[in-house]
Structures are given as C-alpha cells and as structure tokens.
C-alpha cells in the first residue's frame, strides 16, 4: 500500500465544508440540512475507488480512468471531487500493479492529498475488497484508520457533488447501506434462448443503480469476507452483497443526472464539454486605472447579458499592480485584462507569471484575454495590432503551461451607439474564447 503526497492541495482555495476535525466528520448545519440529527453524524468516513479496469468497452488502449480530458487524466477529476469534501478522511484507490507508477505520478503531478494506493484485483469486486482490506484494522501493516462509514465510488464518475455523498453516507449510517439511483432511460427486456423477446420490465417500477454507494464499514467488509469466488468474479452490485451476506437492506437515494459513468469514447467528449461549462461559469475582469474602470464596467455589463448564467466579477489593481495573488482563486479560470490606449508588457508579464505559478493552469486550461480599448479614428487598428505582436510570442510561451492567451481590440468610440456595438461584438468573442478554451485560438489578435 502506498501513501500519496500531502505537500500541496489538489485544488487551490478552501475545502467545500471547512476543515475536518478529529471528532466530527460533518459540519452540523450541513447534516441538519440533509435531514439527520447533528449528534448522529459518523466520526470517520473513507472512500474506496476501484480503478483497475482496462476500458474494454471504450475501445482504446489506455484504461479509461487514465484517458486525458483537457490534458488531465479523468481519475484526477474524480479524486478532486472527493478531496474537496473535507469530511472524507482517506481515499483508497485500487489500481493494477502495472499502473501503480502511473497513479503515483498523477498524485504527485496534481498534488492530490489523502490518497492511498492498493493493488487492484482481476475483477471489480476483488479491487473493492483490496481497497477495504487497506482500511481494515485486522490487516498487517495497516497504515490507515478503519472508518465508521465507507463510500464506494467509480473512478470514472468525476461529477459527484458533496450533497449526494452526504445523503448516501447519512442513509448508510442509519440503514447500514445506501446507494444512489436514477430512473431508467430505456426499458429493460429479457431475451429468450432463441434470441426473441421473452418479457419486458415495467420501467416505472425499476431504477438504475449508480454510484456513490456507502456502507457501515463492518457491514460491507463482512460481506466481502463471506463472498464466494463466483460473486467476486462475476458480481457487480455491492448493495446486493450487503443484502445477501449481512441481511442489510440498502436505502436508495435519488441521485442527480451528473452521476453518469464515462464508459464509451463519446463519453470523454461529453465529460470535456461538462468540465468546460463548469469552469466557464466565472469570469474576472481586471482593470488597473480609474479610466479603465468605466470601460471594464461597461464590458462587464455586456458580458453579463452575453453569458447570462455566468458570474462576472471585476478587480481593480492599484498603480503598482497590487497583489495579483488576491484574485487568483479556485473559482475563476477566465480573466479579461482591460487596458485603455497603452499596453504595459511588463505588467502583463507579471500577471501571467503569477498565474503560471499558481496551481490553476495545472488543473484546468486558463483563458486570458488582453482587451485593448482605443478610438479607431485616432489609432488605426492595423497600427495598434503591429505594436501588439508581442502577444503572439508570449501566448506561445504560456501555452506550454496551459494558459491560453489572446488579444482583442475594441473600438472605444465617442459615439455611444458604435461603442455599444463594439462592446457587444467584443463580448461575443470573449464568450466564445471562454467557452471553447481552444489552444488553436491562443495567440490570435482579434478585432471587435
């Protein structure tokens, strides 16, 4: 069993629920909101992720949990989702021996914390059992503390939120076992031996079993200890094992649509689209002077209309550039840097350096749009673009570190109607750059 590094966070900024404490797994307010008494919360929660699959259904050589989405392995997103829930004390990932080193590299590169590795078995159930053994106190050289409740989750379900994790854990605390479910999308039919329809199930009476699932640790560990070789080899449903061997009926918890599992190649594109959508929900407009504040405000208001579901914030730097680190947060991966007439290469370089040194570009592609506002009747766009050719070289440099830099000229006309039209065109261009996050567009000088 390998322990991952704890040197830096998997994501900058605060944890979702605050810091974990020794005797309390959940903030009382969150538990109460979930319908459970604060005094009934578990004292220790861990998670097990089976990640030993080969991705046969995806039809690619790389196991799907290691396939890259926006240049980052899929499993890293799942680990990040669990790490952000501070009351999950330990996360055990079961991977095959041949992928153990690759998993260690992921932990190291993306700074994942609270991660331990266990060697996966030949099947899903054997991998889960291996992860449970790593948490059990009855195993030799056990380096982890046995939890009261254990979450079992798929390494390729990256969009799990704290709310559903909390609900299945609290239901498991009360019932011994719990699992997320979703309505069936298609009707399930049973074929006869001759390949013809035998019967169909009433879709309204059945549900799809999803992840996460949660169990009192002693319940699921005892179930796996009693499992037959047939169960370990061919079984798929953990809730059924708890029922079969420990007579524990699982509480079923309705889960959100985002719990779907990345199974086929097209699912990777869907996952990428969802991640892009999530990280495009906040944009920071940065200005440096009072003259730019008015332009920044106008652009901010137009952007709000263009991206009506996004949060648009603005930050003003002082004359010396201010503390750039103050607005580099885990919530924002899109920055609009507004200047009027002048363009300060050194100030831009300082900002990009601070951005590169943060962990943001490591986790997601970060979009930076340098917006230069000028009156085209005074300064022809072609002349200004020539003076901004340094953006292309800079963009090529920072692109290597996952920062996508583009330049945008906006006609800051004295004619109010023309100004509004230019701002609207600029907002449309910015929206496209933010939503697409295309490396191919980095280094482009655009005109609105």
């Amino acid at each position: 069993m390998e322990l991952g590094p704890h040197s830096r966070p998997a994501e900058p900024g605060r944890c979702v629920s605050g810091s974990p404490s020794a005797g309390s797994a959940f903030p009382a307010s969150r538990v109460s909101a979930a319908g459970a008494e604060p005094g009934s919360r578990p004292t220790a929660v861990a998670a097990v992720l089976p990640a030993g699959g080969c991705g046969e259904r995806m039809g690619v050589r790389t196991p799907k949990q290691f396939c890259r989405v926006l240049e980052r392995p899929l499993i890293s997103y799942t680990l990040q989702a669990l790490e952000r829930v501070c009351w999950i004390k330990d996360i055990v990932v079961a991977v095959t021996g041949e992928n153990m080193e690759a998993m260690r590299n992921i932990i190291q590169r993306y700074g994942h914390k609270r991660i331990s590795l266990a060697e996966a078995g030949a099947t899903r159930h054997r991998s889960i059992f291996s992860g449970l053994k790593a948490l059990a106190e009855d195993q030799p050289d056990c380096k982890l503390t046995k939890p009261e409740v254990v979450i079992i989750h798929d390494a390729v379900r990256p969009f799990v939120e704290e709310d559903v994790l909390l609900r299945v854990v609290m239901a498991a605390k009360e019932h011994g076992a719990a699992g997320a479910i979703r309505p069936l999308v298609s009707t399930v039919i049973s074929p006869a031996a001759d390949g013809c329809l035998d019967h169909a199930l009433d879709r309204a009476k059945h549900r799809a079993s999803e992840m996460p699932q949660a169990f009192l640790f002693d319940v699921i560990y005892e179930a796996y200890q009693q499992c037959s070789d047939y169960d370990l080899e061919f079984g798929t449903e953990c809730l059924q094992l708890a029922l079969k061997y420990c007579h524990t009926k699982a509480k079923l918890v309705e889960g959100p649509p985002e719990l779907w599992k990345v199974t086929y190649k097209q699912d990777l594109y869907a996952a990428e689209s969802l991640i892009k959508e999530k990280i495009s929900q906040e944009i920071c407009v940065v200005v440096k002077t009072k003259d730019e504040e008015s332009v920044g405000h106008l652009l901010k208001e137009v952007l709000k209309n263009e991206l009506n579901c996004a949060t648009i914030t603005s930050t003003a730097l002082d004359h010396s550039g201010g503390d750039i680190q103050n607005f580099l947060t885990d919530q924002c991966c899109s920055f609009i840097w507004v200047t009027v007439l002048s363009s300060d290469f050194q100030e831009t370089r300082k900002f990009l350096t601070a951005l590169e040194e943060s962990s943001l570009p490591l986790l997601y592609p970060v979009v930076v749009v340098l917006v230069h506002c000028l009156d085209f009747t005074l300064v022809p766009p072609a002349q200004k673009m020539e003076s901004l050719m340094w953006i292309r070289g800079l963009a090529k440099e920072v692109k290597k570190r996952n920062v996508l830099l583009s330049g945008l000229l906006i006609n800051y006309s004295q004619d109010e109607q023309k100004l509004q039209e230019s701002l609207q065109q600029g907002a449309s261009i910015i929206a496209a750059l933010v939503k697409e996050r295309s490396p191919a567009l980095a280094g482009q000088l655009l005109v609105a």
Side-chain angles (χ1 to χ4, degrees):
M1 181 173 63
E2 288 283 339
L3 293 179
H6 295 68
S7 57
R8 61 192 176 112
E11 181 164 0
R14 60 179 175 81
C15 289
V16 174
S17 301
S19 300
S21 57
S24 174
F26 301 102
S29 61
R30 294 301 302 270
V31 178
S32 300
E37 292 298 324
S40 67
R41 58 183 180 256
T43 56
V45 179
V48 171
L49 269 68
C54 62
E56 183 178 347
R57 285 178 290 181
M58 185 164 285
V60 295
R61 292 184 178 181
T62 304
K64 56 189 174 185
Q65 60 272 23
F66 299 116
C67 286
R68 303 183 80 80
V69 179
L70 293 177
E71 298 305 314
R72 184 173 156 206
L74 182 63
I75 192 171
S76 177
Y77 292 98
T78 308
L79 291 177
Q80 181 186 354
L82 295 176
E83 285 173 325
R84 284 177 60 82
V85 181
C86 291
W87 43 261
I88 298 177
K89 184 180 178 183
D90 295 300
I91 303 167
V92 180
V93 182
V95 294
T96 60
E98 63 181 323
N99 288 321
M100 192 72 72
E101 189 60 32
M103 192 65 231
R104 289 194 195 101
N105 290 338
I106 290 170
I107 292 171
Q108 179 69 35
R109 175 171 174 74
Y110 299 101
H112 291 298
K113 55 188 177 179
R114 310 198 305 272
I115 310 297
S116 298
L117 300 184
E119 187 157 354
T123 65
R124 173 181 169 80
H125 274 319
R126 293 188 191 278
S127 294
I128 293 172
F129 194 14
S130 178
L132 294 174
K133 286 178 181 178
L135 291 165
E137 292 178 338
D138 60 354
Q139 298 297 309
D141 302 321
C142 181
K143 299 178 182 179
L144 299 170
T145 303
K146 187 182 82 170
E148 180 182 357
V149 175
V150 61
I151 297 166
I152 296 176
H153 190 61
D154 288 322
V156 289
R157 293 182 193 261
F159 302 113
V160 62
E161 297 286 350
E162 182 182 15
D163 176 65
V164 69
L165 289 165
L166 179 60
R167 285 188 286 130
V168 295
V169 165
M170 297 311 299
K173 168 74 174 174
E174 181 178 353
H175 299 275
I181 58 170
R182 289 287 302 155
L184 288 173
V185 176
S186 302
T187 300
V188 178
I189 61 173
S190 178
D194 61 0
C196 297
L197 175 67
D198 183 72
H199 66 278
L201 298 180
D202 184 349
R203 189 170 62 182
K205 294 181 180 180
H206 296 82
R207 293 292 183 271
S209 178
E210 306 285 356
M211 289 287 171
Q213 295 177 353
F215 304 84
L216 290 176
F217 184 84
D218 290 338
V219 168
I220 193 63
Y221 190 51
E222 180 184 342
Y224 271 96
Q225 286 178 311
Q226 296 183 49
C227 270
S228 66
D229 284 338
Y230 183 87
D231 288 322
L232 291 174
E233 196 68 30
F234 301 106
T236 57
E237 182 52 72
C238 302
L239 301 178
Q240 180 63 28
L241 295 183
L243 178 62
K244 180 178 179 180
Y245 291 106
C246 296
H247 310 291
T248 300
K249 287 187 175 181
K251 178 67 174 178
L252 303 180
V253 176
E254 192 76 22
E258 292 81 12
L259 288 181
W260 58 274
K261 181 180 179 183
V262 174
T263 304
Y264 301 102
K265 194 170 183 178
Q266 60 264 33
D267 294 334
L268 289 173
Y269 302 115
E272 178 178 306
S273 179
L274 278 175
I275 293 168
K276 282 183 177 179
E277 182 181 349
K278 285 178 179 291
I279 63 177
S280 299
Q281 291 308 301
E282 182 151 340
I283 298 173
C284 183
V285 177
V286 184
V287 298
K288 295 185 297 176
T289 68
K290 288 184 178 180
D291 290 338
E292 289 154 357
E293 282 184 13
S294 59
V295 182
H297 175 74
L298 289 172
L299 185 58
K300 175 182 169 183
E301 294 305 310
V302 178
L303 275 171
K304 281 183 179 179
N305 293 328
E306 184 72 25
L307 297 162
N308 56 15
C309 60
T311 301
I312 317 292
T313 60
S314 58
T315 298
L317 299 180
D318 59 29
H319 183 68
S320 63
D323 187 1
I324 293 174
Q325 294 292 344
N326 286 343
F327 56 89
L328 294 181
T329 73
D330 64 324
Q331 300 296 317
C332 187
C333 294
S334 306
F335 298 92
I336 314 304
W337 183 278
V338 179
T339 62
V340 176
L341 295 178
S342 64
S343 55
D344 191 333
F345 174 82
Q346 295 302 324
E347 195 64 47
T348 303
R349 176 73 270 187
K350 180 181 176 182
F351 167 69
L352 291 172
T353 299
L355 186 58
E356 290 174 284
E357 290 175 351
S358 74
S359 55
L360 276 175
L362 187 64
L363 299 172
Y364 303 108
V366 177
V367 169
V368 178
V369 183
L370 303 182
V371 177
H372 298 270
C373 302
L374 67 155
D375 190 335
F376 287 179
T377 60
L378 301 177
V379 182
Q383 178 183 327
K384 186 61 179 177
M385 289 180 74
E386 286 181 12
S387 69
L388 292 175
M389 290 302 290
W390 55 266
I391 290 178
R392 292 192 172 184
L394 190 56
K396 186 176 181 180
E397 178 186 337
V398 298
K399 182 180 176 181
K400 297 174 185 176
R401 288 179 287 280
N402 214 21
V403 176
L404 308 179
L405 174 68
S406 302
L408 174 63
L409 292 181
I410 287 183
N411 183 13
Y412 193 40
S413 175
Q414 299 302 311
D415 185 305
E416 187 173 337
Q417 183 177 347
K418 288 183 178 180
L419 173 61
Q420 195 62 31
E421 290 175 356
S422 188
L423 288 171
Q424 184 60 57
Q425 290 174 4
S428 298
I429 292 171
I430 291 170
L433 293 171
V434 167
K435 289 179 179 179
E436 290 301 319
R437 296 183 182 271
S438 172
L441 295 176
Q444 296 296 311
L445 290 173
L446 307 166
V447 179

